[in-house]
PDB file of all heavy atoms in Angstrom:
ATOM      1  N   PRO A 727     -37.708 -29.743 -35.264  1.00 92.00           N
ATOM      2  CA  PRO A 727     -38.731 -28.756 -35.614  1.00 92.00           C
ATOM      3  C   PRO A 727     -39.906 -28.792 -34.633  1.00 92.00           C
ATOM      4  O   PRO A 727     -40.512 -29.856 -34.432  1.00 92.00           O
ATOM      5  CB  PRO A 727     -39.157 -29.185 -37.018  1.00 92.00           C
ATOM      6  CG  PRO A 727     -38.033 -30.007 -37.543  1.00 92.00           C
ATOM      7  CD  PRO A 727     -37.431 -30.681 -36.360  1.00 92.00           C
ATOM      8  N   GLY A 728     -40.200 -27.668 -34.014  1.00 94.00           N
ATOM      9  CA  GLY A 728     -41.319 -27.586 -33.099  1.00 94.00           C
ATOM     10  C   GLY A 728     -41.127 -28.323 -31.788  1.00 94.00           C
ATOM     11  O   GLY A 728     -42.096 -28.548 -31.051  1.00 94.00           O
ATOM     12  N   LYS A 729     -39.893 -28.708 -31.495  1.00 96.00           N
ATOM     13  CA  LYS A 729     -39.630 -29.480 -30.273  1.00 96.00           C
ATOM     14  C   LYS A 729     -38.683 -28.723 -29.353  1.00 96.00           C
ATOM     15  O   LYS A 729     -37.980 -27.817 -29.776  1.00 96.00           O
ATOM     16  CB  LYS A 729     -39.016 -30.838 -30.624  1.00 96.00           C
ATOM     17  CG  LYS A 729     -39.912 -31.729 -31.462  1.00 96.00           C
ATOM     18  CD  LYS A 729     -39.232 -33.053 -31.742  1.00 96.00           C
ATOM     19  CE  LYS A 729     -40.089 -33.951 -32.593  1.00 96.00           C
ATOM     20  NZ  LYS A 729     -39.423 -35.249 -32.878  1.00 96.00           N
ATOM     21  N   GLN A 730     -38.664 -29.131 -28.095  1.00 97.00           N
ATOM     22  CA  GLN A 730     -37.705 -28.574 -27.157  1.00 97.00           C
ATOM     23  C   GLN A 730     -36.334 -29.225 -27.356  1.00 97.00           C
ATOM     24  O   GLN A 730     -36.226 -30.349 -27.857  1.00 97.00           O
ATOM     25  CB  GLN A 730     -38.186 -28.804 -25.720  1.00 97.00           C
ATOM     26  CG  GLN A 730     -39.402 -27.977 -25.333  1.00 97.00           C
ATOM     27  CD  GLN A 730     -39.715 -28.081 -23.853  1.00 97.00           C
ATOM     28  OE1 GLN A 730     -39.413 -29.078 -23.208  1.00 97.00           O
ATOM     29  NE2 GLN A 730     -40.306 -27.027 -23.306  1.00 97.00           N
ATOM     30  N   ARG A 731     -35.318 -28.501 -26.959  1.00 97.00           N
ATOM     31  CA  ARG A 731     -33.975 -29.052 -27.022  1.00 97.00           C
ATOM     32  C   ARG A 731     -33.853 -30.224 -26.052  1.00 97.00           C
ATOM     33  O   ARG A 731     -34.349 -30.152 -24.920  1.00 97.00           O
ATOM     34  CB  ARG A 731     -32.962 -27.973 -26.682  1.00 97.00           C
ATOM     35  CG  ARG A 731     -31.523 -28.325 -26.968  1.00 97.00           C
ATOM     36  CD  ARG A 731     -30.654 -27.092 -26.774  1.00 97.00           C
ATOM     37  NE  ARG A 731     -30.832 -26.146 -27.864  1.00 97.00           N
ATOM     38  CZ  ARG A 731     -30.519 -24.859 -27.766  1.00 97.00           C
ATOM     39  NH1 ARG A 731     -30.071 -24.372 -26.626  1.00 97.00           N
ATOM     40  NH2 ARG A 731     -30.681 -24.058 -28.806  1.00 97.00           N
ATOM     41  N   GLU A 732     -33.202 -31.301 -26.495  1.00 98.00           N
ATOM     42  CA  GLU A 732     -33.060 -32.481 -25.652  1.00 98.00           C
ATOM     43  C   GLU A 732     -31.631 -33.001 -25.709  1.00 98.00           C
ATOM     44  O   GLU A 732     -30.927 -32.833 -26.700  1.00 98.00           O
ATOM     45  CB  GLU A 732     -34.018 -33.594 -26.113  1.00 98.00           C
ATOM     46  CG  GLU A 732     -33.762 -34.097 -27.529  1.00 98.00           C
ATOM     47  CD  GLU A 732     -34.632 -35.265 -27.914  1.00 98.00           C
ATOM     48  OE1 GLU A 732     -35.182 -35.944 -27.023  1.00 98.00           O
ATOM     49  OE2 GLU A 732     -34.743 -35.531 -29.134  1.00 98.00           O
ATOM     50  N   LEU A 733     -31.234 -33.649 -24.632  1.00 98.00           N
ATOM     51  CA  LEU A 733     -29.913 -34.269 -24.545  1.00 98.00           C
ATOM     52  C   LEU A 733     -29.962 -35.629 -25.227  1.00 98.00           C
ATOM     53  O   LEU A 733     -30.849 -36.433 -24.944  1.00 98.00           O
ATOM     54  CB  LEU A 733     -29.520 -34.428 -23.077  1.00 98.00           C
ATOM     55  CG  LEU A 733     -28.174 -35.078 -22.784  1.00 98.00           C
ATOM     56  CD1 LEU A 733     -27.041 -34.130 -23.161  1.00 98.00           C
ATOM     57  CD2 LEU A 733     -28.077 -35.457 -21.317  1.00 98.00           C
ATOM     58  N   VAL A 734     -28.999 -35.889 -26.116  1.00 98.00           N
ATOM     59  CA  VAL A 734     -28.967 -37.185 -26.798  1.00 98.00           C
ATOM     60  C   VAL A 734     -27.721 -37.999 -26.452  1.00 98.00           C
ATOM     61  O   VAL A 734     -27.650 -39.185 -26.791  1.00 98.00           O
ATOM     62  CB  VAL A 734     -29.079 -37.039 -28.330  1.00 98.00           C
ATOM     63  CG1 VAL A 734     -30.425 -36.455 -28.708  1.00 98.00           C
ATOM     64  CG2 VAL A 734     -27.947 -36.207 -28.908  1.00 98.00           C
ATOM     65  N   ALA A 735     -26.757 -37.398 -25.819  1.00 98.00           N
ATOM     66  CA  ALA A 735     -25.572 -38.153 -25.418  1.00 98.00           C
ATOM     67  C   ALA A 735     -24.773 -37.318 -24.431  1.00 98.00           C
ATOM     68  O   ALA A 735     -24.726 -36.102 -24.558  1.00 98.00           O
ATOM     69  CB  ALA A 735     -24.699 -38.497 -26.613  1.00 98.00           C
ATOM     70  N   SER A 736     -24.156 -37.979 -23.462  1.00 98.00           N
ATOM     71  CA  SER A 736     -23.284 -37.274 -22.532  1.00 98.00           C
ATOM     72  C   SER A 736     -22.078 -38.136 -22.221  1.00 98.00           C
ATOM     73  O   SER A 736     -22.130 -39.371 -22.325  1.00 98.00           O
ATOM     74  CB  SER A 736     -24.024 -36.907 -21.245  1.00 98.00           C
ATOM     75  OG  SER A 736     -24.447 -38.060 -20.562  1.00 98.00           O
ATOM     76  N   ILE A 737     -20.994 -37.463 -21.852  1.00 97.00           N
ATOM     77  CA  ILE A 737     -19.771 -38.164 -21.485  1.00 97.00           C
ATOM     78  C   ILE A 737     -19.183 -37.497 -20.254  1.00 97.00           C
ATOM     79  O   ILE A 737     -18.948 -36.281 -20.239  1.00 97.00           O
ATOM     80  CB  ILE A 737     -18.778 -38.216 -22.662  1.00 97.00           C
ATOM     81  CG1 ILE A 737     -17.542 -39.026 -22.296  1.00 97.00           C
ATOM     82  CG2 ILE A 737     -18.422 -36.827 -23.158  1.00 97.00           C
ATOM     83  CD1 ILE A 737     -16.713 -39.434 -23.509  1.00 97.00           C
ATOM     84  N   THR A 738     -18.984 -38.289 -19.212  1.00 92.00           N
ATOM     85  CA  THR A 738     -18.526 -37.797 -17.910  1.00 92.00           C
ATOM     86  C   THR A 738     -17.438 -38.735 -17.419  1.00 92.00           C
ATOM     87  O   THR A 738     -17.715 -39.896 -17.168  1.00 92.00           O
ATOM     88  CB  THR A 738     -19.684 -37.761 -16.902  1.00 92.00           C
ATOM     89  OG1 THR A 738     -20.766 -37.005 -17.442  1.00 92.00           O
ATOM     90  CG2 THR A 738     -19.228 -37.160 -15.587  1.00 92.00           C
ATOM     91  N   SER A 739     -16.234 -38.223 -17.306  1.00 85.00           N
ATOM     92  CA  SER A 739     -15.113 -39.039 -16.826  1.00 85.00           C
ATOM     93  C   SER A 739     -15.034 -40.372 -17.562  1.00 85.00           C
ATOM     94  O   SER A 739     -14.805 -41.418 -16.948  1.00 85.00           O
ATOM     95  CB  SER A 739     -15.240 -39.285 -15.310  1.00 85.00           C
ATOM     96  OG  SER A 739     -15.223 -38.065 -14.601  1.00 85.00           O
ATOM     97  N   GLY A 740     -15.284 -40.310 -18.870  1.00 80.00           N
ATOM     98  CA  GLY A 740     -15.189 -41.516 -19.680  1.00 80.00           C
ATOM     99  C   GLY A 740     -16.449 -42.346 -19.741  1.00 80.00           C
ATOM    100  O   GLY A 740     -16.583 -43.228 -20.587  1.00 80.00           O
ATOM    101  N   ARG A 741     -17.375 -42.081 -18.848  1.00 95.00           N
ATOM    102  CA  ARG A 741     -18.653 -42.811 -18.886  1.00 95.00           C
ATOM    103  C   ARG A 741     -19.616 -42.088 -19.825  1.00 95.00           C
ATOM    104  O   ARG A 741     -19.701 -40.867 -19.820  1.00 95.00           O
ATOM    105  CB  ARG A 741     -19.261 -42.895 -17.492  1.00 95.00           C
ATOM    106  CG  ARG A 741     -18.413 -43.680 -16.500  1.00 95.00           C
ATOM    107  CD  ARG A 741     -19.171 -43.912 -15.203  1.00 95.00           C
ATOM    108  NE  ARG A 741     -19.658 -42.674 -14.622  1.00 95.00           N
ATOM    109  CZ  ARG A 741     -18.944 -41.905 -13.812  1.00 95.00           C
ATOM    110  NH1 ARG A 741     -17.701 -42.241 -13.500  1.00 95.00           N
ATOM    111  NH2 ARG A 741     -19.468 -40.809 -13.296  1.00 95.00           N
ATOM    112  N   THR A 742     -20.335 -42.868 -20.587  1.00 98.00           N
ATOM    113  CA  THR A 742     -21.284 -42.306 -21.545  1.00 98.00           C
ATOM    114  C   THR A 742     -22.705 -42.696 -21.181  1.00 98.00           C
ATOM    115  O   THR A 742     -22.936 -43.727 -20.524  1.00 98.00           O
ATOM    116  CB  THR A 742     -20.968 -42.771 -22.966  1.00 98.00           C
ATOM    117  OG1 THR A 742     -21.023 -44.208 -23.015  1.00 98.00           O
ATOM    118  CG2 THR A 742     -19.586 -42.314 -23.400  1.00 98.00           C
ATOM    119  N   ASN A 743     -23.630 -41.876 -21.624  1.00 98.00           N
ATOM    120  CA  ASN A 743     -25.032 -42.147 -21.325  1.00 98.00           C
ATOM    121  C   ASN A 743     -25.882 -41.652 -22.489  1.00 98.00           C
ATOM    122  O   ASN A 743     -25.553 -40.622 -23.118  1.00 98.00           O
ATOM    123  CB  ASN A 743     -25.456 -41.453 -20.030  1.00 98.00           C
ATOM    124  CG  ASN A 743     -26.761 -42.001 -19.499  1.00 98.00           C
ATOM    125  OD1 ASN A 743     -26.994 -43.200 -19.556  1.00 98.00           O
ATOM    126  ND2 ASN A 743     -27.605 -41.133 -18.999  1.00 98.00           N
ATOM    127  N   TYR A 744     -26.948 -42.403 -22.795  1.00 98.00           N
ATOM    128  CA  TYR A 744     -27.812 -42.076 -23.919  1.00 98.00           C
ATOM    129  C   TYR A 744     -29.263 -42.328 -23.540  1.00 98.00           C
ATOM    130  O   TYR A 744     -29.560 -43.283 -22.811  1.00 98.00           O
ATOM    131  CB  TYR A 744     -27.475 -42.964 -25.124  1.00 98.00           C
ATOM    132  CG  TYR A 744     -26.014 -42.988 -25.496  1.00 98.00           C
ATOM    133  CD1 TYR A 744     -25.159 -43.937 -24.933  1.00 98.00           C
ATOM    134  CD2 TYR A 744     -25.492 -42.075 -26.387  1.00 98.00           C
ATOM    135  CE1 TYR A 744     -23.812 -43.957 -25.257  1.00 98.00           C
ATOM    136  CE2 TYR A 744     -24.147 -42.089 -26.718  1.00 98.00           C
ATOM    137  CZ  TYR A 744     -23.315 -43.033 -26.151  1.00 98.00           C
ATOM    138  OH  TYR A 744     -21.983 -43.061 -26.478  1.00 98.00           O
ATOM    139  N   PRO A 745     -30.177 -41.543 -24.080  1.00 98.00           N
ATOM    140  CA  PRO A 745     -31.591 -41.884 -23.898  1.00 98.00           C
ATOM    141  C   PRO A 745     -31.932 -43.082 -24.779  1.00 98.00           C
ATOM    142  O   PRO A 745     -31.221 -43.407 -25.738  1.00 98.00           O
ATOM    143  CB  PRO A 745     -32.307 -40.613 -24.371  1.00 98.00           C
ATOM    144  CG  PRO A 745     -31.383 -40.005 -25.366  1.00 98.00           C
ATOM    145  CD  PRO A 745     -30.007 -40.303 -24.866  1.00 98.00           C
ATOM    146  N   ASP A 746     -33.039 -43.704 -24.466  1.00 98.00           N
ATOM    147  CA  ASP A 746     -33.445 -44.900 -25.207  1.00 98.00           C
ATOM    148  C   ASP A 746     -33.634 -44.621 -26.698  1.00 98.00           C
ATOM    149  O   ASP A 746     -33.444 -45.510 -27.526  1.00 98.00           O
ATOM    150  CB  ASP A 746     -34.738 -45.469 -24.623  1.00 98.00           C
ATOM    151  CG  ASP A 746     -34.530 -46.111 -23.271  1.00 98.00           C
ATOM    152  OD1 ASP A 746     -33.365 -46.409 -22.916  1.00 98.00           O
ATOM    153  OD2 ASP A 746     -35.529 -46.322 -22.563  1.00 98.00           O
ATOM    154  N   SER A 747     -34.006 -43.389 -27.038  1.00 97.00           N
ATOM    155  CA  SER A 747     -34.303 -43.063 -28.425  1.00 97.00           C
ATOM    156  C   SER A 747     -33.086 -43.191 -29.348  1.00 97.00           C
ATOM    157  O   SER A 747     -33.243 -43.367 -30.559  1.00 97.00           O
ATOM    158  CB  SER A 747     -34.877 -41.640 -28.524  1.00 97.00           C
ATOM    159  OG  SER A 747     -33.960 -40.704 -27.999  1.00 97.00           O
ATOM    160  N   VAL A 748     -31.871 -43.101 -28.793  1.00 98.00           N
ATOM    161  CA  VAL A 748     -30.674 -43.177 -29.634  1.00 98.00           C
ATOM    162  C   VAL A 748     -29.710 -44.269 -29.180  1.00 98.00           C
ATOM    163  O   VAL A 748     -28.703 -44.516 -29.844  1.00 98.00           O
ATOM    164  CB  VAL A 748     -29.930 -41.827 -29.684  1.00 98.00           C
ATOM    165  CG1 VAL A 748     -30.883 -40.709 -30.094  1.00 98.00           C
ATOM    166  CG2 VAL A 748     -29.263 -41.508 -28.355  1.00 98.00           C
ATOM    167  N   LYS A 749     -29.998 -44.912 -28.065  1.00 98.00           N
ATOM    168  CA  LYS A 749     -29.094 -45.922 -27.520  1.00 98.00           C
ATOM    169  C   LYS A 749     -28.859 -47.030 -28.542  1.00 98.00           C
ATOM    170  O   LYS A 749     -29.788 -47.529 -29.165  1.00 98.00           O
ATOM    171  CB  LYS A 749     -29.686 -46.497 -26.242  1.00 98.00           C
ATOM    172  CG  LYS A 749     -28.723 -47.330 -25.419  1.00 98.00           C
ATOM    173  CD  LYS A 749     -29.343 -47.718 -24.084  1.00 98.00           C
ATOM    174  CE  LYS A 749     -29.542 -46.512 -23.194  1.00 98.00           C
ATOM    175  NZ  LYS A 749     -30.101 -46.865 -21.868  1.00 98.00           N
ATOM    176  N   GLY A 750     -27.594 -47.383 -28.722  1.00 98.00           N
ATOM    177  CA  GLY A 750     -27.227 -48.399 -29.693  1.00 98.00           C
ATOM    178  C   GLY A 750     -26.984 -47.868 -31.083  1.00 98.00           C
ATOM    179  O   GLY A 750     -26.458 -48.574 -31.945  1.00 98.00           O
ATOM    180  N   ARG A 751     -27.357 -46.593 -31.313  1.00 98.00           N
ATOM    181  CA  ARG A 751     -27.165 -45.991 -32.635  1.00 98.00           C
ATOM    182  C   ARG A 751     -26.166 -44.840 -32.601  1.00 98.00           C
ATOM    183  O   ARG A 751     -25.456 -44.607 -33.576  1.00 98.00           O
ATOM    184  CB  ARG A 751     -28.496 -45.471 -33.184  1.00 98.00           C
ATOM    185  CG  ARG A 751     -29.566 -46.535 -33.344  1.00 98.00           C
ATOM    186  CD  ARG A 751     -30.784 -46.005 -34.086  1.00 98.00           C
ATOM    187  NE  ARG A 751     -31.452 -44.929 -33.360  1.00 98.00           N
ATOM    188  CZ  ARG A 751     -31.642 -43.705 -33.862  1.00 98.00           C
ATOM    189  NH1 ARG A 751     -31.188 -43.401 -35.075  1.00 98.00           N
ATOM    190  NH2 ARG A 751     -32.275 -42.781 -33.145  1.00 98.00           N
ATOM    191  N   PHE A 752     -26.125 -44.113 -31.491  1.00 98.00           N
ATOM    192  CA  PHE A 752     -25.250 -42.945 -31.356  1.00 98.00           C
ATOM    193  C   PHE A 752     -24.112 -43.277 -30.393  1.00 98.00           C
ATOM    194  O   PHE A 752     -24.307 -43.990 -29.405  1.00 98.00           O
ATOM    195  CB  PHE A 752     -26.014 -41.746 -30.803  1.00 98.00           C
ATOM    196  CG  PHE A 752     -26.998 -41.111 -31.746  1.00 98.00           C
ATOM    197  CD1 PHE A 752     -27.366 -41.726 -32.930  1.00 98.00           C
ATOM    198  CD2 PHE A 752     -27.561 -39.883 -31.435  1.00 98.00           C
ATOM    199  CE1 PHE A 752     -28.277 -41.133 -33.793  1.00 98.00           C
ATOM    200  CE2 PHE A 752     -28.472 -39.269 -32.290  1.00 98.00           C
ATOM    201  CZ  PHE A 752     -28.836 -39.907 -33.464  1.00 98.00           C
ATOM    202  N   THR A 753     -22.936 -42.718 -30.681  1.00 98.00           N
ATOM    203  CA  THR A 753     -21.781 -42.882 -29.807  1.00 98.00           C
ATOM    204  C   THR A 753     -21.069 -41.552 -29.640  1.00 98.00           C
ATOM    205  O   THR A 753     -20.672 -40.930 -30.635  1.00 98.00           O
ATOM    206  CB  THR A 753     -20.789 -43.913 -30.371  1.00 98.00           C
ATOM    207  OG1 THR A 753     -21.463 -45.160 -30.578  1.00 98.00           O
ATOM    208  CG2 THR A 753     -19.632 -44.125 -29.415  1.00 98.00           C
ATOM    209  N   ILE A 754     -20.905 -41.125 -28.393  1.00 98.00           N
ATOM    210  CA  ILE A 754     -20.181 -39.889 -28.098  1.00 98.00           C
ATOM    211  C   ILE A 754     -18.754 -40.233 -27.698  1.00 98.00           C
ATOM    212  O   ILE A 754     -18.500 -41.258 -27.052  1.00 98.00           O
ATOM    213  CB  ILE A 754     -20.895 -39.099 -26.972  1.00 98.00           C
ATOM    214  CG1 ILE A 754     -20.241 -37.729 -26.777  1.00 98.00           C
ATOM    215  CG2 ILE A 754     -20.934 -39.898 -25.677  1.00 98.00           C
ATOM    216  CD1 ILE A 754     -21.013 -36.821 -25.811  1.00 98.00           C
ATOM    217  N   SER A 755     -17.833 -39.372 -28.116  1.00 97.00           N
ATOM    218  CA  SER A 755     -16.438 -39.532 -27.719  1.00 97.00           C
ATOM    219  C   SER A 755     -15.803 -38.158 -27.614  1.00 97.00           C
ATOM    220  O   SER A 755     -16.373 -37.169 -28.079  1.00 97.00           O
ATOM    221  CB  SER A 755     -15.678 -40.413 -28.716  1.00 97.00           C
ATOM    222  OG  SER A 755     -15.712 -39.841 -30.017  1.00 97.00           O
ATOM    223  N   ARG A 756     -14.628 -38.099 -26.980  1.00 95.00           N
ATOM    224  CA  ARG A 756     -13.965 -36.809 -26.841  1.00 95.00           C
ATOM    225  C   ARG A 756     -12.463 -36.963 -27.008  1.00 95.00           C
ATOM    226  O   ARG A 756     -11.905 -38.033 -26.763  1.00 95.00           O
ATOM    227  CB  ARG A 756     -14.308 -36.159 -25.498  1.00 95.00           C
ATOM    228  CG  ARG A 756     -13.715 -36.800 -24.283  1.00 95.00           C
ATOM    229  CD  ARG A 756     -14.285 -36.180 -23.004  1.00 95.00           C
ATOM    230  NE  ARG A 756     -13.930 -34.774 -22.851  1.00 95.00           N
ATOM    231  CZ  ARG A 756     -14.532 -33.941 -21.997  1.00 95.00           C
ATOM    232  NH1 ARG A 756     -15.531 -34.380 -21.236  1.00 95.00           N
ATOM    233  NH2 ARG A 756     -14.153 -32.684 -21.900  1.00 95.00           N
ATOM    234  N   ASP A 757     -11.844 -35.887 -27.408  1.00 95.00           N
ATOM    235  CA  ASP A 757     -10.401 -35.814 -27.579  1.00 95.00           C
ATOM    236  C   ASP A 757      -9.944 -34.564 -26.832  1.00 95.00           C
ATOM    237  O   ASP A 757      -9.975 -33.458 -27.371  1.00 95.00           O
ATOM    238  CB  ASP A 757     -10.063 -35.735 -29.068  1.00 95.00           C
ATOM    239  CG  ASP A 757      -8.573 -35.631 -29.337  1.00 95.00           C
ATOM    240  OD1 ASP A 757      -7.794 -35.443 -28.373  1.00 95.00           O
ATOM    241  OD2 ASP A 757      -8.185 -35.712 -30.497  1.00 95.00           O
ATOM    242  N   ASN A 758      -9.550 -34.728 -25.584  1.00 92.00           N
ATOM    243  CA  ASN A 758      -9.201 -33.562 -24.772  1.00 92.00           C
ATOM    244  C   ASN A 758      -7.970 -32.839 -25.298  1.00 92.00           C
ATOM    245  O   ASN A 758      -7.872 -31.614 -25.196  1.00 92.00           O
ATOM    246  CB  ASN A 758      -8.974 -33.974 -23.325  1.00 92.00           C
ATOM    247  CG  ASN A 758     -10.273 -34.259 -22.599  1.00 92.00           C
ATOM    248  OD1 ASN A 758     -11.333 -33.760 -22.973  1.00 92.00           O
ATOM    249  ND2 ASN A 758     -10.200 -35.076 -21.560  1.00 92.00           N
ATOM    250  N   ALA A 759      -7.031 -33.574 -25.848  1.00 93.00           N
ATOM    251  CA  ALA A 759      -5.808 -32.949 -26.355  1.00 93.00           C
ATOM    252  C   ALA A 759      -6.111 -31.941 -27.459  1.00 93.00           C
ATOM    253  O   ALA A 759      -5.440 -30.907 -27.584  1.00 93.00           O
ATOM    254  CB  ALA A 759      -4.848 -34.014 -26.863  1.00 93.00           C
ATOM    255  N   ASN A 760      -7.133 -32.247 -28.248  1.00 94.00           N
ATOM    256  CA  ASN A 760      -7.515 -31.364 -29.340  1.00 94.00           C
ATOM    257  C   ASN A 760      -8.802 -30.594 -29.066  1.00 94.00           C
ATOM    258  O   ASN A 760      -9.343 -29.951 -29.963  1.00 94.00           O
ATOM    259  CB  ASN A 760      -7.655 -32.167 -30.636  1.00 94.00           C
ATOM    260  CG  ASN A 760      -6.329 -32.673 -31.136  1.00 94.00           C
ATOM    261  OD1 ASN A 760      -5.435 -31.894 -31.451  1.00 94.00           O
ATOM    262  ND2 ASN A 760      -6.163 -33.998 -31.181  1.00 94.00           N
ATOM    263  N   LYS A 761      -9.264 -30.661 -27.810  1.00 94.00           N
ATOM    264  CA  LYS A 761     -10.455 -29.922 -27.390  1.00 94.00           C
ATOM    265  C   LYS A 761     -11.621 -30.171 -28.335  1.00 94.00           C
ATOM    266  O   LYS A 761     -12.197 -29.237 -28.916  1.00 94.00           O
ATOM    267  CB  LYS A 761     -10.155 -28.425 -27.288  1.00 94.00           C
ATOM    268  CG  LYS A 761      -9.122 -28.078 -26.244  1.00 94.00           C
ATOM    269  CD  LYS A 761      -8.912 -26.584 -26.146  1.00 94.00           C
ATOM    270  CE  LYS A 761      -7.859 -26.237 -25.124  1.00 94.00           C
ATOM    271  NZ  LYS A 761      -7.633 -24.771 -25.035  1.00 94.00           N
ATOM    272  N   ALA A 762     -11.969 -31.426 -28.486  1.00 96.00           N
ATOM    273  CA  ALA A 762     -13.040 -31.780 -29.413  1.00 96.00           C
ATOM    274  C   ALA A 762     -13.895 -32.887 -28.840  1.00 96.00           C
ATOM    275  O   ALA A 762     -13.419 -33.718 -28.052  1.00 96.00           O
ATOM    276  CB  ALA A 762     -12.454 -32.215 -30.752  1.00 96.00           C
ATOM    277  N   ILE A 763     -15.141 -32.891 -29.220  1.00 97.00           N
ATOM    278  CA  ILE A 763     -15.993 -34.043 -28.967  1.00 97.00           C
ATOM    279  C   ILE A 763     -16.693 -34.421 -30.269  1.00 97.00           C
ATOM    280  O   ILE A 763     -16.798 -33.597 -31.187  1.00 97.00           O
ATOM    281  CB  ILE A 763     -17.024 -33.820 -27.837  1.00 97.00           C
ATOM    282  CG1 ILE A 763     -18.051 -32.777 -28.214  1.00 97.00           C
ATOM    283  CG2 ILE A 763     -16.348 -33.455 -26.534  1.00 97.00           C
ATOM    284  CD1 ILE A 763     -19.239 -32.771 -27.266  1.00 97.00           C
ATOM    285  N   PHE A 764     -17.146 -35.649 -30.338  1.00 98.00           N
ATOM    286  CA  PHE A 764     -17.696 -36.202 -31.560  1.00 98.00           C
ATOM    287  C   PHE A 764     -18.991 -36.949 -31.249  1.00 98.00           C
ATOM    288  O   PHE A 764     -19.203 -37.419 -30.139  1.00 98.00           O
ATOM    289  CB  PHE A 764     -16.689 -37.156 -32.203  1.00 98.00           C
ATOM    290  CG  PHE A 764     -15.335 -36.542 -32.429  1.00 98.00           C
ATOM    291  CD1 PHE A 764     -14.318 -36.744 -31.507  1.00 98.00           C
ATOM    292  CD2 PHE A 764     -15.091 -35.746 -33.519  1.00 98.00           C
ATOM    293  CE1 PHE A 764     -13.079 -36.166 -31.680  1.00 98.00           C
ATOM    294  CE2 PHE A 764     -13.849 -35.156 -33.705  1.00 98.00           C
ATOM    295  CZ  PHE A 764     -12.838 -35.372 -32.786  1.00 98.00           C
ATOM    296  N   LEU A 765     -19.818 -37.061 -32.267  1.00 98.00           N
ATOM    297  CA  LEU A 765     -21.022 -37.875 -32.155  1.00 98.00           C
ATOM    298  C   LEU A 765     -21.142 -38.700 -33.431  1.00 98.00           C
ATOM    299  O   LEU A 765     -21.396 -38.148 -34.508  1.00 98.00           O
ATOM    300  CB  LEU A 765     -22.270 -37.017 -31.964  1.00 98.00           C
ATOM    301  CG  LEU A 765     -23.554 -37.796 -31.704  1.00 98.00           C
ATOM    302  CD1 LEU A 765     -23.483 -38.489 -30.333  1.00 98.00           C
ATOM    303  CD2 LEU A 765     -24.769 -36.888 -31.762  1.00 98.00           C
ATOM    304  N   GLN A 766     -20.921 -39.989 -33.297  1.00 98.00           N
ATOM    305  CA  GLN A 766     -21.131 -40.912 -34.410  1.00 98.00           C
ATOM    306  C   GLN A 766     -22.579 -41.351 -34.384  1.00 98.00           C
ATOM    307  O   GLN A 766     -23.049 -41.892 -33.385  1.00 98.00           O
ATOM    308  CB  GLN A 766     -20.197 -42.121 -34.278  1.00 98.00           C
ATOM    309  CG  GLN A 766     -20.381 -43.142 -35.374  1.00 98.00           C
ATOM    310  CD  GLN A 766     -19.970 -42.636 -36.737  1.00 98.00           C
ATOM    311  OE1 GLN A 766     -18.941 -41.990 -36.877  1.00 98.00           O
ATOM    312  NE2 GLN A 766     -20.780 -42.928 -37.756  1.00 98.00           N
ATOM    313  N   MET A 767     -23.273 -41.116 -35.475  1.00 98.00           N
ATOM    314  CA  MET A 767     -24.693 -41.434 -35.563  1.00 98.00           C
ATOM    315  C   MET A 767     -24.898 -42.448 -36.680  1.00 98.00           C
ATOM    316  O   MET A 767     -24.587 -42.171 -37.842  1.00 98.00           O
ATOM    317  CB  MET A 767     -25.509 -40.176 -35.839  1.00 98.00           C
ATOM    318  CG  MET A 767     -25.263 -39.056 -34.843  1.00 98.00           C
ATOM    319  SD  MET A 767     -26.381 -37.659 -35.071  1.00 98.00           S
ATOM    320  CE  MET A 767     -25.875 -37.113 -36.697  1.00 98.00           C
ATOM    321  N   ASN A 768     -25.402 -43.606 -36.325  1.00 98.00           N
ATOM    322  CA  ASN A 768     -25.668 -44.670 -37.290  1.00 98.00           C
ATOM    323  C   ASN A 768     -27.158 -44.979 -37.322  1.00 98.00           C
ATOM    324  O   ASN A 768     -27.912 -44.599 -36.422  1.00 98.00           O
ATOM    325  CB  ASN A 768     -24.894 -45.927 -36.902  1.00 98.00           C
ATOM    326  CG  ASN A 768     -23.395 -45.708 -36.903  1.00 98.00           C
ATOM    327  OD1 ASN A 768     -22.844 -44.950 -37.696  1.00 98.00           O
ATOM    328  ND2 ASN A 768     -22.702 -46.396 -35.993  1.00 98.00           N
ATOM    329  N   SER A 769     -27.567 -45.677 -38.356  1.00 98.00           N
ATOM    330  CA  SER A 769     -28.969 -46.103 -38.495  1.00 98.00           C
ATOM    331  C   SER A 769     -29.917 -44.929 -38.280  1.00 98.00           C
ATOM    332  O   SER A 769     -30.893 -45.015 -37.520  1.00 98.00           O
ATOM    333  CB  SER A 769     -29.282 -47.222 -37.493  1.00 98.00           C
ATOM    334  OG  SER A 769     -28.426 -48.328 -37.701  1.00 98.00           O
ATOM    335  N   LEU A 770     -29.618 -43.836 -38.933  1.00 98.00           N
ATOM    336  CA  LEU A 770     -30.398 -42.609 -38.722  1.00 98.00           C
ATOM    337  C   LEU A 770     -31.831 -42.768 -39.192  1.00 98.00           C
ATOM    338  O   LEU A 770     -32.121 -43.482 -40.175  1.00 98.00           O
ATOM    339  CB  LEU A 770     -29.723 -41.446 -39.433  1.00 98.00           C
ATOM    340  CG  LEU A 770     -28.494 -40.898 -38.697  1.00 98.00           C
ATOM    341  CD1 LEU A 770     -27.627 -40.072 -39.621  1.00 98.00           C
ATOM    342  CD2 LEU A 770     -28.928 -40.083 -37.485  1.00 98.00           C
TER     343      LEU A 770
END
C-alpha cells in the first residue's frame, strides 16, 4: 500500500537472489515442464 513495486525474488539459470528484507524467509522455485514458478514465504 502506497509503495512502489519491488523485486523480492529472482531465479536465473537455477541461481536465486533475494533482497535482505526477505532473505532467509522466502524461496523461489520454478517448474519449466509445467510452466510455473513458486514463492514459498515463511515467517511472514
Side-chain angles (χ1 to χ4, degrees):
K729 298 181 181 180
Q730 290 188 332
R731 191 172 286 160
E732 62 175 341
L733 179 71
V734 296
S736 63
I737 184 164
T738 306
S739 299
R741 297 189 305 274
T742 59
N743 195 39
Y744 309 90
D746 289 343
S747 59
V748 307
K749 193 173 293 182
R751 300 189 297 122
F752 289 12
T753 303
I754 187 172
S755 59
R756 70 188 295 165
D757 179 351
N758 285 336
N760 291 298
K761 297 183 181 179
I763 66 167
F764 306 97
L765 186 68
Q766 178 67 43
M767 306 187 296
N768 299 326
S769 301
L770 283 162

